[in-house]
Amino acid sequence: RGSIIEVERNTLSRSRSKADEARAKMVRISVLNDALRNMVNAERKGKRQVLIRPSSKVVVKFLQVMLKNGYINEFVLVDDHRAGKIVVSLNGRLNKCGVISPRYDFSHHEVESWVGRLLPSRLFGKIVVTTSSGIMDHEEARRKKVGGKVLGFFY
C-alpha cells in the first residue's frame, strides 16, 4: 500500500513540473498589441505616462502616427541594449486603440468600409495601415491612392 502512494506522488510531481515548464516557455505573440493594450489601460486609470516594452520599429511608427494626430503628447525611446523601452506621455484624448490581426489587405477603394467597421464615427479616429510608402493613417493612404495591410486603429 505504501508503494502505491509513492508512485502516485511521483506522477503528480512529474505532471506539475511539466505544467511549470510550459508556463516558463510562454512567448509574446504581438508586441504592438501589448503596447497598445498598456496605453489604453494606463489612459483608463488616468496615468500621465506609460512604459512600453519591448520596443519595435512598427510600434515606433504607430506612435508617430498617433503623435501626428494629437492623441499622445510625446514619446521617448530608451535604449537598454536589449529590446528597448518607450516612455509615452499621455494627454487624455485616447479612448481606445487596438490591433487588427491578421493584417488584412485593403485597397484605397475599401477605406470607407474599414472606417465603418472599426471607428465609431467618420469624423474622428484613425486606422493605421502599412503600405509600400510606409506606415500611415487611412486618410493619407486615400490621398496617395495606395493600398496595403491594416495594422490597427485608435480613437
Side-chain angles (χ1 to χ4, degrees):
R1 178 132 178 104
S3 63
I4 294 172
I5 294 172
E6 286 178 34
V7 169
E8 286 178 9
R9 282 186 192 146
N10 288 340
T11 57
L12 284 175
S13 65
R14 213 176 297 132
S15 64
R16 276 193 208 119
S17 64
K18 285 182 183 177
D20 292 338
E21 196 176 299
R23 220 176 288 124
K25 290 184 181 178
M26 257 176 70
V27 294
R28 192 177 299 258
I29 303 299
S30 173
V31 173
L32 181 62
N33 194 21
D34 290 348
L36 297 183
R37 179 99 40 230
N38 284 344
M39 286 175 57
V40 169
N41 289 342
E43 188 80 65
R44 285 184 181 153
K45 283 185 78 174
K47 305 274 186 185
R48 303 305 294 163
Q49 283 187 332
V50 61
L51 179 70
I52 295 173
R53 51 174 275 276
S55 170
S56 76
K57 289 192 285 187
V58 175
V59 172
V60 170
K61 295 288 188 186
F62 201 101
L63 289 174
Q64 285 174 348
V65 174
M66 292 176 85
L67 182 67
K68 187 177 78 175
N69 289 294
Y71 281 84
I72 58 175
N73 283 338
E74 64 177 353
F75 65 94
V76 179
L77 294 166
V78 179
D79 183 26
D80 59 355
H81 298 292
R82 288 171 189 83
K85 296 176 186 170
I86 305 172
V87 178
V88 180
S89 174
L90 303 170
N91 60 6
R93 194 169 167 220
L94 188 66
N95 295 316
K96 188 173 183 181
C97 58
V99 172
I100 303 302
S101 180
R103 293 181 177 172
Y104 291 106
D105 293 337
F106 93 107
S107 69
H108 67 279
H109 301 294
E110 299 172 348
V111 170
E112 279 304 314
S113 69
W114 279 101
V115 168
R117 272 185 263 170
L118 294 176
L119 301 179
S121 166
R122 289 185 6 217
L123 297 175
F124 72 98
K126 301 288 182 197
I127 297 174
V128 181
V129 295
T130 177
T131 67
S132 56
S133 305
I135 294 178
M136 60 186 78
D137 61 42
H138 69 279
E139 291 173 354
E140 189 178 346
R142 185 190 298 151
R143 277 195 305 272
K144 290 184 176 180
K145 293 194 169 136
V146 293
K149 296 193 178 284
V150 178
L151 278 180
F153 63 93
F154 57 89
Y155 54 86

